[in-house]
Amino acid sequence: MSAVLEVKHLKKAYKHDKEMVQAVNNVSFEINSGECLGLVGESGCGKSTIAKMVTRLEAVDEGEICLNDWAITRVSGKALRSVYQQIQMVFQMPVDSFNPRIKLGEGIMESLINQGIGRREAKAKAREYLEICGLNKTFAERYPHQVSGGECQRASIARAIAIKPSLLICDEATSALDVTVQAQIIKMLKCLKKDLGMSYLFISHDLALVQEICDRVMVMHNGSIVEQGTPDEIIRYPKEDYTKKLIDSVF
Amino acid sequence: MESTIINSITVRVHRKKKDCTMMKFYVFLILVILLLLVAAFAPQIVPYDPCAQDLMNALQPPSAEHPFGTDRYGRDMLSRVVMGAQTTIYAALLLVGIITVFGTLVGIFCGYKGGKIDSLIMRISDVFLAFPGMVFAIAVAGVLGGGINNAVVALACISWPKFARLARGQALSVKTMPYIAAAKLSGSGPLKIVFKHILPNITGPILVTATLDIGTMMMELAGLSFLGLGAMPPIAEWGSMMSDGRSMLQTAPWVILAPGCAIFITVMLFNLLGDTVRDVLDPKTKRSGNWRKK
Ligand SMILES: Nc1ncnc2c1ncn2[C@@H]1O[C@H](COP(=O)(O)OP(=O)(O)OP(=O)(O)O)[C@@H](O)[C@H]1O
Ligand SMILES: [Mg+2]
């Protein structure tokens, strides 16, 4: 199996009061095509920072990122924009990830139009994907503040999958959804994985959910990966003390 | 039970306040539109030719024939004030339009781009802000020569940095919003991000400042004209009319009172409109969707 994403020795530090805080410290991993990699860890351990660096929304201090054998660590401009045809992300805060002055449908259409799809077709597609995510087509005409947090999250998933990326990063993508809707979304994500061979980086704090969907899990603590393996291994036979604590606190 | 009563009362108070704001907004808007109409059709509605001299009737006090009296060349003050509205309002709107558009574009560019270019342009704007504005405008207008258009250019030179700073600050805060990151992820280029995502989200405060500035700019234009650096005689302009009449304040006060009141009323009207625009755009009186704001 070839790797969709290869991350090597990724580092990122933030400055807090003249002191550098290492948010991500020497993280390496790879995601194979059609694989779902889970990323768990306590709040503030650097999960979102990894997601933002992989999508190049945050500058990389050190390390290398390869997407389908293409080094994207330093690309910019047009090249970066074509990276975004292969990689998409569902943001942690769905409501803020939609422009308050643009209707949801229009927001979903944006990436389709940027890919050169005509307006008419893009509109139809946006509605289709909203419907796939369990929102009827009237949602396309609503503004972000006119929908609930969970509905917005689903619209955000619709936006991310509409262009069929080869890698989808889900940053707490189902945290605002109730169990039934969550099950529906997970089912859909599994379908996409099977049918299109889509790969995922699935960031979550819900270990049960991770166990359900992920092929492999990484446990993160203070900016480093402390343990990785299949979900069953990690949850039943954790090696590291930190993982044990994390699992104890959840179950 | 109690809390629902309190809730419904607050809702009612809020709604009442909002209705009142909207009322005020419409009233001022209509008044301003009336003023603009008067200015636009000034040549058609003036009772006399505002430039026609009639030395026999110089310095007549207000009468039925000349409601605002006549000036020292016997020109009808009412006609001149109405014609002056056209010159003054045209110049003020032109000026505010120029500095708003230019300042906003520069500010957004700096805020979005950041880095060296941003620092450079902001230092330049600091230089403009450091000069005593009016003195600089007088110097520029002096170099360019008189004329209302040159006065507009002179004032535009000193006034754009205010809008650039405002737009830059707003752009900087909007830039960090997740929806901008989402737009980048959608593959949108910088132009699309600026004009589709940043600009619409910062127009509110800019619009308010622009409306409030119309009054200020009118005053400054009148100031330049008063000094003889604005509109050239015989064109009617409120500032130069006041300047003309200042020696006759005691003998013929109507010559200075008529344009003075016109400036006063117009400036106040635009300021009131600006204030209500701010109230209307204020999230607390906005129609819906504020429950999600933390
Ligand atoms: N823009 C920033 N500037 C400074 N520090 C930041 C910035 N973004 C994140 N951090 C810091 O980096 C660390 C990692 O943050 P990150 O958002 O990756 O956490 P997370 O694992 O996603 O947490 P959560 O589960 O709460 O979302 C935190 O300590 C945070 O304070
Ligand atoms: Mg996070």
Side-chain angles (χ1 to χ4, degrees):
Chain A
M1 255 197 262
S2 64
V4 176
L5 182 77
E6 251 189 292
V7 172
K8 286 180 218 147
H9 310 296
L10 208 57
K11 281 186 189 172
K12 177 85 194 176
Y14 287 115
K15 209 171 184 176
H16 285 286
D17 297 332
K18 293 174 195 156
E19 223 179 291
M20 299 302 276
V21 176
Q22 203 71 35
V24 172
N25 196 0
N26 208 1
V27 166
S28 305
F29 62 89
E30 55 180 55
I31 301 176
N32 294 320
S33 110
E35 185 188 34
C36 178
L37 177 65
L39 181 56
V40 297
E42 65 186 350
S43 178
C45 67
K47 304 181 300 285
S48 296
T49 309
I50 288 185
K52 281 185 218 152
M53 277 195 286
V54 168
T55 47
R56 291 293 318 280
L57 294 172
E58 195 82 61
V60 177
D61 281 359
E62 254 179 78
E64 207 150 326
I65 302 165
C66 284
L67 181 72
N68 295 322
D69 295 325
W70 177 19
I72 60 165
T73 328
R74 310 256 173 265
V75 299
S76 61
K78 262 217 175 99
L80 184 58
R81 270 177 259 159
S82 59
V83 166
Y84 294 144
Q85 299 185 3
Q86 297 178 34
I87 188 165
Q88 280 294 313
M89 168 149 99
V90 180
F91 287 82
Q92 190 167 5
M93 283 183 291
V95 180
D96 290 338
S97 76
F98 281 96
N99 185 337
R101 287 173 195 272
I102 290 180
K103 290 176 184 157
L104 292 181
E106 193 84 17
I108 295 170
M109 281 160 66
E110 190 165 332
S111 56
L112 296 167
I113 288 172
N114 285 335
Q115 278 199 339
I117 296 172
R119 269 197 79 82
R120 262 248 201 89
E121 204 181 324
K123 198 166 180 175
K125 262 202 166 156
R127 284 163 188 227
E128 181 191 327
Y129 277 95
L130 277 173
E131 230 148 303
I132 288 176
C133 294
L135 300 173
N136 64 35
K137 58 178 187 267
T138 60
F139 280 88
E141 300 300 321
R142 294 208 208 172
Y143 287 96
H145 65 259
Q146 293 171 326
V147 302
S148 77
E151 286 161 350
C152 212
Q153 197 153 47
R154 280 183 271 171
S156 153
I157 294 170
R159 173 173 62 185
I161 61 174
I163 62 163
K164 301 197 179 88
S166 52
L167 175 66
L168 179 64
I169 299 176
C170 301
D171 194 351
E172 311 275 3
T174 56
S175 56
L177 304 179
D178 56 76
V179 186
T180 46
V181 179
Q182 190 171 329
Q184 190 190 331
I185 294 289
I186 295 301
K187 202 172 133 203
M188 180 199 73
L189 290 180
K190 276 183 168 169
C191 268
L192 285 174
K193 185 173 138 185
K194 207 171 72 196
D195 297 347
L196 301 174
M198 214 187 258
S199 319
Y200 300 98
L201 176 60
F202 198 83
I203 301 174
S204 179
H205 58 263
D206 185 346
L207 280 176
L209 189 62
V210 167
Q211 194 174 16
E212 155 100 32
I213 188 170
C214 295
D215 305 308
R216 215 150 44 88
V217 188
M218 301 190 296
V219 181
M220 203 174 167
H221 180 49
N222 275 345
S224 320
I225 307 285
V226 290
E227 190 167 352
Q228 52 178 310
T230 63
D232 289 334
E233 272 171 28
I234 298 271
I235 290 168
R236 293 216 189 115
Y237 315 107
K239 288 190 203 94
E240 300 289 322
D241 287 343
Y242 174 73
T243 321
K244 280 178 199 154
K245 262 191 239 158
L246 190 74
I247 290 162
D248 284 345
S249 60
V250 175
F251 287 114
Chain B
M1 177 64 194
E2 216 169 83
S3 77
T4 41
I5 291 173
I6 292 173
N7 262 347
S8 70
I9 289 173
T10 19
V11 165
R12 221 176 304 148
V13 169
H14 263 277
R15 189 167 307 149
K16 209 163 187 183
K17 207 167 157 195
K18 191 199 82 185
D19 287 347
C20 188
T21 318
M22 286 314 280
M23 261 287 272
K24 260 174 31 189
F25 172 69
Y26 287 126
V27 167
F28 292 136
L29 190 67
I30 288 169
L31 286 175
V32 164
I33 288 173
L34 273 179
L35 192 66
L36 292 180
L37 283 178
V38 167
F41 295 104
Q44 281 78 42
I45 57 179
V46 287
Y48 300 91
D49 178 357
C51 295
Q53 301 189 359
D54 178 7
L55 293 173
M56 298 297 289
N57 280 319
L59 292 176
Q60 294 287 314
S63 61
E65 214 173 325
H66 298 286
F68 288 0
T70 59
D71 69 1
R72 62 174 142 168
Y73 301 111
R75 297 177 292 198
D76 178 47
M77 283 308 286
L78 176 63
S79 306
R80 284 186 71 72
V81 166
V82 171
M83 268 319 264
Q86 190 171 49
T87 322
T88 307
I89 291 175
Y90 153 80
L93 290 184
L94 180 68
L95 175 54
V96 171
I98 290 174
I99 59 176
T100 309
V101 172
F102 182 73
T104 304
L105 288 180
V106 170
I108 293 188
F109 174 77
C110 288
Y112 184 71
K113 193 103 180 160
K116 276 190 190 128
I117 292 190
D118 174 33
S119 318
L120 181 73
I121 296 180
M122 281 303 118
R123 289 304 79 75
I124 293 175
S125 83
D126 280 342
V127 171
F128 277 101
L129 286 175
F131 276 116
M134 207 54 193
V135 175
F136 187 68
I138 289 169
V140 174
V143 169
L144 293 174
I148 196 80
N149 286 332
N150 288 344
V152 167
V153 171
L155 286 172
C157 281
I158 59 159
S159 312
W160 67 268
K162 182 173 156 193
F163 282 87
R165 304 221 131 229
L166 178 67
R168 177 176 175 270
Q170 297 282 328
L172 276 179
S173 73
V174 168
K175 195 172 91 165
T176 60
M177 295 298 287
Y179 59 81
I180 300 298
K184 280 185 194 158
L185 263 182
S186 299
S188 295
L191 274 183
K192 206 164 179 182
I193 289 177
V194 163
F195 287 105
K196 194 169 167 191
H197 297 283
I198 297 183
L199 192 59
N201 283 296
I202 67 170
T203 38
I206 290 173
L207 205 64
V208 172
T209 314
T211 323
L212 284 174
D213 250 27
I214 294 175
T216 321
M217 290 304 149
M218 250 173 217
M219 300 285 272
E220 302 207 338
L221 276 168
L224 276 188
S225 295
F226 185 88
L227 295 172
L229 289 166
M232 284 298 171
I235 291 175
E237 202 277 339
W238 294 339
S240 57
M241 282 161 72
M242 285 184 73
S243 163
D244 272 350
R246 72 184 185 279
S247 55
M248 287 162 283
L249 186 57
Q250 271 142 25
T251 50
W254 55 89
V255 176
I256 198 161
L257 277 180
C261 290
I263 291 179
F264 172 71
I265 291 170
T266 312
V267 169
M268 197 169 73
L269 204 53
F270 275 106
N271 280 349
L272 286 171
L273 181 70
D275 275 335
T276 44
V277 166
R278 174 168 38 211
D279 290 345
V280 168
L281 293 175
D282 182 16
K284 278 185 220 110
T285 50
K286 223 173 170 182
R287 283 167 296 264
S288 63
N290 301 297
W291 47 269
R292 71 181 185 86
K293 290 253 152 60
K294 280 143 247 160

